[in-house]
Each structure stands twice: as C-alpha cells, then as structure tokens.
Amino acid sequence: MSTRNGVTAVTRNGVTNEAKLGDTPVTALHGYDDQRPLAPSRGLTTRASSLHLRDAIFERSLRLANRFRVIRTIDVAAACFPERPFKASLTAAQRAVRGMVKRGLLRRYRTDRFQTVYGLTQPGVDWLGDHGHDAASSVRRVSDMTNPEHRLWAQFLVVCSWARGLRAVTESELLHDLNANAKAGTRNGSSKAVQGYITVSVHRRGASVRKHLRPDAVAFDVEGRGVTWFEVDRSKRGSDRQADLAALVGAIGNKLADGRVLRRVVVMCKTERIERDAVRVVEQLAAACNQLVLTEGRRHIRRQSDGVYEVMAAIPVKRQDSRTALIDEQVGHVIVQMLPIWLPKVRIDVTNKWSTDGWFGDNYLPYKRPANLSLWRVPGSPLVPTDDEDGDDG
C-alpha cells in the first residue's frame, strides 16, 4: 500500500494500480482481503431445474385449488414454500399466483370482505389433465361466494398440518370419508349416514342432551391414533355453542366415530374478545371439574401456559392380581390461540405495518405445541421431497 500526492494506490499480486482522481484524497482500505465474495446460494435449483420447480409449484397449487375450490395466496405459500421465512415464502407465492393468473389457469375474485381469492379455470383443469390429474373448474362456484372466510381459515389449518408432516382434512372431507367407510362396511351397501365425529352429553338449561359434534378440520397424529380437533371461531359463541365446547373438552381422551382417540382440541379465535370468551369457558369447566374426585370418566384440567391446558383422567389399569387400579394420566390438551389474521395483511414493500410472527419458524402453526410434547420439526420443501419426508398432502 503506498500513498503519493494524497492518492491511495493498492498493490495486488505485485502490480500497483493508482486511483486517478486528481487531487481528491482516497481513504485507504484497511484489512483489505483480495478473496472474491462467495457466490449466492441457488437454493432449490441445486436439486432441480427451474422449469421442474415451476411445474411442481403450478401442479401443487392447482391441485390445491381443485381440492378446496377456492384458495388464497397464503395457501400457496404454506403448501409450496413452508421452509422459507414468511416474506420470502409470500414473495414466491405471489410470483407463482401471478404467473398462473396470467396464463389463465386461475381466476382472481374479490369477496364482500375485500379478500382476494382464486378459483380454478377450465385451462387450469386442462393443465392438470395434461399432468395426469382429474379436476373440475370452480370459477362459477367461487364467483357466487360472498364471505368464505371460515372455510378459508379451516383449509389453511389443514395445509399447515400438511407442512408439519400430518395428514389432515376439512369437515366435509371427514364426513365424506366416514360415510364412505360406513357404507362399505355394510352387507347390503346401505347404512345410516354418520352425522358427527363424536357424540357428547351437552348440559343446557338444567338438562342433558346427546348431541353429535363435527370439527371444522382435523389432523391425525403421525405416531399413533390420536386426533387434533380444530374449531375456527370467527364470532362470539352463544350459550349453546359454549356448552358444546365444554362438552367437547370434557370428551378429550374418548374414542371418535372412526375408533381414533381425541387428543387435542384447538380453538382458533379471530379476535381477542373471542379468545377471552373461549378461555373463560375452559377455566370455568376446570373449576367445576377439579372440585370433584378424579374417578373414571371424569376430567381434571390444569393450565400449563397462556391458552394451553392439559387434561388429566383416571385410567383403569389391571394389576397382576387381577384387581383394577385407577392411575392419573394426561390424556390430551386444550389449546386456545389467535388465528394469524395478520399474516394475509403483510405487504412486502415498505408500507408493511403487520407482524410476520407465527409462521413455521415459530411454535404457532397449525397450533402451539405444549411444553411437554416434542417440538415441531422444521418443514422441508415439498417441491423436491427427500426420502425421509413422509408428509401427506391428501
């Protein structure tokens, strides 16, 4: 390094290059390293070509639109890019959706609540047909929708469950499967339709009534026969629906219509007021149940953290001397949390004022895992799955 007449010269590999800037002084580069910067990461293109990735994104997104009939950009982000930070995931999803709309595979609509949604067009059906998938156009149905917010959030929780490696279905898909199985299990091919996923005793107005309850969505545990039951609460529960929620929480640990066991009830709330009401229902039930002796058929509810409660039950266990003993065991959880309604409002540019918290890098979607359960695994890319990825997208 040499300086002459206030101009800095830098010597590299024995060759001196002077900065020809006249009388303008140049600041010396302290700690200069002649190594070139590392090339930017190519991401998924190191494992698949860009054309293959584009087709994989289109195929996954269009199949999603065919299955649910109506989708949002955030559904594409969760289905195709769950491994990325939220802004990167949303940017990629927006680019993909713009490409599909431009090619006429999806059609854009605005609901009465100013939500942007998309339906599958006939060219989109043809594109899927060329790639070996049966489909049907949904634009006529989507154009008639006024406020599909409830179904949009229910299916979003299903997509988030897929990203975590769980099999999940919506209410209509669940009832379809239950009735198909019931019909297949009869001799003459006819049976009474399954009306609900669980039957509970609901206490209202001093009387006990048997009632069939159905979830907005369910996810099935990978490690066993446990089920997570999702409730999407967009409005305040009246007294009847509060009684339904209390009966559902009291049934945690019981068998469902398909023989699986209800392990978790997750109440996703649109507003803080709805969240407080749901928490109050659970705490009132806990106060009533915890005063009773924990015997078979009864439940005790203990608060673990904000909005997370563990459910205890007395489980009968046979001893070696043939006597039966009751052992207190945790049979499941109740989780009350906010719907991430801020995520669809996030803007990529400088005008954004909404938080990006609650994406897959956080312990939030599709529900907060209680402290005594294993943490959510980091999602991998569904576009180029590896051999050990066993997620199910239906």
Side-chain angles (χ1 to χ4, degrees), residues 67 158 167-182 194-198 213-220 227-230 256-258 260:
R67 177 168 180 168
V158 169
R167 188 172 74 88
V169 293
T170 60
E171 174 187 353
S172 59
E173 292 173 327
L174 175 67
L175 291 179
H176 178 271
D177 293 343
L178 290 175
N179 284 290
N181 294 336
V194 178
Q195 300 295 326
Y197 199 28
I198 194 171
L213 299 181
R214 296 179 294 189
D216 294 319
V218 293
F220 305 99
V227 171
T228 299
W229 179 301
F230 291 102
L256 300 164
D258 57 0
R260 298 176 184 270

Side-chain angles (χ1 to χ4, degrees), residues 21-201:
L21 298 177
D23 296 332
T24 303
V26 179
T27 303
L29 301 177
H30 298 288
Y32 175 80
D33 187 355
D34 195 29
Q35 295 181 354
R36 294 184 178 182
L38 296 176
S41 172
R42 294 179 56 212
L44 294 178
T45 56
T46 60
R47 300 162 60 186
S49 69
S50 57
L51 291 178
H52 171 82
L53 290 175
R54 185 199 64 182
D55 284 350
I57 294 169
F58 279 20
E59 182 176 357
R60 196 169 181 86
S61 302
L62 295 177
R63 290 184 66 190
L64 197 70
N66 179 59
R67 177 168 180 168
F68 293 135
R69 316 309 292 154
V70 58
I71 60 172
R72 296 179 292 179
T73 303
I74 195 172
D75 297 320
V76 176
C80 298
F81 314 104
E83 79 284 0
R84 305 185 185 186
F86 180 67
K87 284 194 173 182
S89 177
L90 185 61
T91 300
Q94 289 174 340
R95 185 186 307 116
V97 170
R98 282 197 300 267
M100 287 181 283
V101 171
K102 185 176 181 179
R103 294 181 58 173
L105 308 179
L106 293 177
R107 185 172 298 169
R108 183 184 294 112
Y109 294 92
R110 295 274 281 183
T111 69
D112 290 353
R113 297 295 179 91
F114 306 105
Q115 291 179 313
T116 301
V117 296
Y118 300 88
L120 183 65
T121 64
Q122 187 58 45
V125 172
D126 298 337
W127 193 97
L128 284 175
D130 293 339
H131 289 75
H133 304 291
D134 295 330
S137 174
S138 66
V139 292
R140 179 175 297 180
R141 184 173 179 183
V142 176
S143 63
D144 292 336
M145 294 180 179
T146 57
N147 184 26
E149 185 180 20
H150 187 273
R151 69 178 293 164
L152 288 172
W153 280 117
Q155 69 191 37
F156 176 69
L157 295 174
V158 169
V159 177
C160 291
S161 299
W162 295 346
R164 298 296 191 184
L166 306 175
R167 188 172 74 88
V169 293
T170 60
E171 174 187 353
S172 59
E173 292 173 327
L174 175 67
L175 291 179
H176 178 271
D177 293 343
L178 290 175
N179 284 290
N181 294 336
K183 187 174 182 179
T186 59
R187 290 185 177 181
N188 56 6
S190 62
S191 64
K192 187 176 181 181
V194 178
Q195 300 295 326
Y197 199 28
I198 194 171
T199 303
V200 297
S201 296

